[in-house]
């Protein structure tokens, strides 16, 4: 009976998600991702605050990469994107905008296009590129059970390729100046828990206690950030992880009686964020001409949930879209599974927040508007 309970959501999700591979639907999504996204209101009257915005990470910031991959980790069908500016799915794992959309507009830039969704011309990449891929983790094998994804190491290689292409067009000196003044945003790590450590893949829990696992992840990220530094990157935002123990999937999976978060999981996330914050502080000491900041999404998210009424949220446990208790059993698969007003919910689906939450978190990253969650500085402080 327990085996059936665990296998049923996987079987049903496989059946329904397979629809996303039908050629007609895939073609529709490709057309959607190529639609022009809105530019900031001041983009025509004022120059952008930075030359470009580059994004690396997982489904928290994927804006369409996985539309072009053979994977179950896709958000190319409604109701995803229903509240986005185009009211169509773009590949964002949200009902609307993701954090980097709000931040791009703050900096006077257009929404950043997905690396696999643009033509490859320098004109398409000159204001930035989003390399993020749903399912990606810090570890190469994290998320492999979902199908294809672009790993963190591969994303950084794509970024390096982009720099080389821009160099051919602008010249080395101009490109170096552009890259050094641009902002890079890294949001990754949740799949290393969801699809690796918590599932005890390769008996990882017998090899690493949570703290040792988190230290290993932080050391890998540190080396990848150094690789970016060697490519002339100087301004980096490193995002921590949200309270996964409060996500609807784990409330369902751990049989939470009254919506209590799973402390066992949240304690691991707190440790991960601590390790990452310490790593960033260490990196700033080593690279004196770099500006690297860590933003604790756990802190920002818990502030929203503790003070949800002040922020205008009515539901902090159930997802807007899904099936089962807390709507955390079956993934968001059709418009009929979604609530009417996502803005009253903290969670959009099993693991991802609504656009309303993303807007608040983006405000905090930009200036700490609602609560301070970035150390040692906010994004606004990085920009002269």
């Amino acid at each position: 009976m327990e085996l059936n309970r665990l296998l049923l959501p996987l079987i049903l999700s496989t059946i329904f998600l397979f629809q996303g591979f039908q050629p007609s639907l895939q073609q529709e999504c490709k057309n959607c991702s190529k639609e022009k996204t809105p530019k900031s209101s001041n983009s025509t009257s004022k120059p952008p605050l930075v030359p470009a915005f580059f994004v690396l990470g997982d489904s928290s910031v994927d804006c369409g990469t996985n539309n072009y991959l053979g994977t179950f980790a896709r958000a190319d069908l409604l109701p995803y994107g229903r509240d986005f500016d185009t009211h169509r799915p773009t590949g964002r794992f949200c009902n609307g905008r993701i954090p980097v959309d709000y931040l791009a507009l703050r900096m006077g830039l257009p929404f950043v296009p997905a690396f696999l969704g643009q033509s490859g011309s320098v004109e398409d990449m000159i204001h930035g590129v989003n390399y993020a891929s749903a399912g990606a983790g810090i570890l190469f094998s994290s998320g492999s059970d979902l199908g294809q994804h672009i790993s963190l190491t591969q994303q950084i290689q794509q970024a390096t390729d982009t720099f080389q292409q821009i160099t051919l067009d602008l010249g080395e000196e101009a490109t170096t100046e552009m890259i050094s003044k641009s902002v890079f945003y890294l949001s990754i790590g949740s799949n290393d828990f969801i699809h690796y450590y918590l599932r005890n893949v390769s008996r990882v829990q017998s090899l690493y206690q949570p703290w040792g696992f988190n230290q290993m992840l932080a050391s890998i990220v540190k080396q990848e950030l150094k690789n970016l530094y060697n490519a002339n990157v100087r301004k980096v935002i490193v995002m921590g992880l949200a309270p996964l123990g409060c996500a609807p999937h784990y409330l369902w999976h751990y049989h939470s009686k009254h919506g209590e978060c799973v402390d066992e999981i949240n304690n691991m996330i707190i440790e991960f964020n601590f390790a990452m914050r310490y790593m960033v502080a260490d990196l700033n000491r080593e690279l004196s001409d770099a500006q690297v900041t860590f933003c604790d999404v756990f802190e920002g998210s818990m502030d929203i949930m503790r003070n949800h009424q002040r922020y205008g949220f009515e539901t902090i446990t159930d997802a807007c879209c899904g099936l089962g208790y807390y709507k955390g059993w079956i993934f968001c698969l059709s418009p009929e599974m979604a609530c009417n007003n996502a803005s009253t919910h903290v969670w959009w689906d099993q693991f991802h927040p609504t656009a309303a939450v993303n807007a608040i978190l983006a405000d905090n990253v930009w200036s700490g508007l609602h609560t301070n969650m970035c150390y040692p500085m906010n994004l606004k402080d990085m920009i002269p």
Side-chain angles (χ1 to χ4, degrees), residues 31-96:
N31 293 336
C32 289
S33 64
K34 292 179 180 178
E35 290 179 1
K36 296 294 183 181
T37 51
K39 297 184 178 181
S40 67
S41 58
N42 66 352
S43 62
T44 57
S45 58
K46 296 181 182 179
L49 299 178
V50 296
F53 189 30
F54 295 91
V55 180
L56 306 106
D58 52 25
S59 60
S60 60
V61 284
D62 186 344
C63 70
T65 293
N66 279 31
N67 293 349
Y68 303 90
L69 302 178
T71 175
F72 291 124
R74 298 164 70 103
D76 55 350
L77 298 174
L78 289 171
Y80 287 94
R82 72 175 194 185
D83 301 317
F84 188 65
D85 300 67
T86 59
H87 301 289
R88 300 182 68 180
T90 62
R92 290 164 171 82
F93 284 74
C94 187
N95 61 299

Side-chain angles (χ1 to χ4, degrees), residues 139 142 191-201 204-211 213-214 268:
L139 298 176
S142 294
N191 291 310
D192 296 289
F193 293 93
I194 297 170
H195 294 285
Y196 196 79
Y197 193 82
L198 292 175
R199 293 189 177 186
N200 199 22
V201 175
V204 63
Q205 293 179 17
S206 65
L207 300 174
Y208 293 96
Q209 292 295 315
W211 177 241
F213 184 70
N214 284 322
M268 283 188 276

Side-chain angles (χ1 to χ4, degrees), residues 59 74-75 79-80 92-95 194 246-250 316-323 326-333 337-339 342 345-355:
S59 60
R74 298 164 70 103
Y80 287 94
R92 290 164 171 82
F93 284 74
C94 187
N95 61 299
I194 297 170
C246 302
H249 174 75
Y250 288 119
I316 63 174
T317 55
D318 294 33
C320 172
C321 188
L323 283 180
Y326 305 108
K327 293 197 173 181
W329 178 39
I330 302 294
F331 204 69
C332 179
L333 299 171
M337 296 168 66
C339 65
H345 284 65
V346 167
W347 298 97
W348 165 247
D349 61 20
Q350 288 179 312
F351 295 109
H352 304 99
T354 58

Side-chain angles (χ1 to χ4, degrees), residues 80 234 293:
Y80 287 94
R234 293 296 182 269
T293 195

Side-chain angles (χ1 to χ4, degrees), residues 249-301:
H249 174 75
Y250 288 119
L251 298 187
W252 165 79
H253 186 75
Y254 282 77
H255 307 291
S256 176
K257 291 184 178 179
H258 304 291
E260 302 91 349
C261 299
V262 182
D263 289 339
E264 175 188 347
I265 296 176
N266 276 351
N267 288 339
M268 283 188 276
I269 302 305
I270 291 171
E271 286 187 351
F272 171 85
N273 287 347
F274 179 83
M276 293 289 281
R277 180 175 172 180
Y278 181 85
M279 178 274 293
V280 166
D282 195 41
L283 200 60
N284 279 318
R285 285 190 292 268
E286 291 180 26
L287 310 175
S288 59
D289 62 332
Q291 292 178 299
V292 186
T293 195
F294 171 76
C295 295
D296 195 330
V297 183
F298 189 100
E299 284 187 16
S301 300

Side-chain angles (χ1 to χ4, degrees), residues 146-202:
L146 297 172
Q148 291 180 322
H149 65 260
I150 311 299
S151 70
L152 176 59
T153 300
Q154 291 170 325
Q155 290 178 39
I156 291 177
Q157 182 58 56
Q158 288 177 337
T160 303
D161 293 342
T162 300
F163 303 161
Q164 291 175 350
Q165 189 168 348
I166 294 174
T167 300
L168 293 175
D169 191 77
L170 301 183
E172 187 171 348
E173 185 176 344
T175 301
T176 297
E177 182 178 9
M178 171 198 165
I179 298 304
S180 65
K181 291 182 177 180
S182 296
V183 172
F184 287 73
Y185 184 105
L186 174 65
S187 178
I188 200 166
S190 62
N191 291 310
D192 296 289
F193 293 93
I194 297 170
H195 294 285
Y196 196 79
Y197 193 82
L198 292 175
R199 293 189 177 186
N200 199 22
V201 175
S202 302

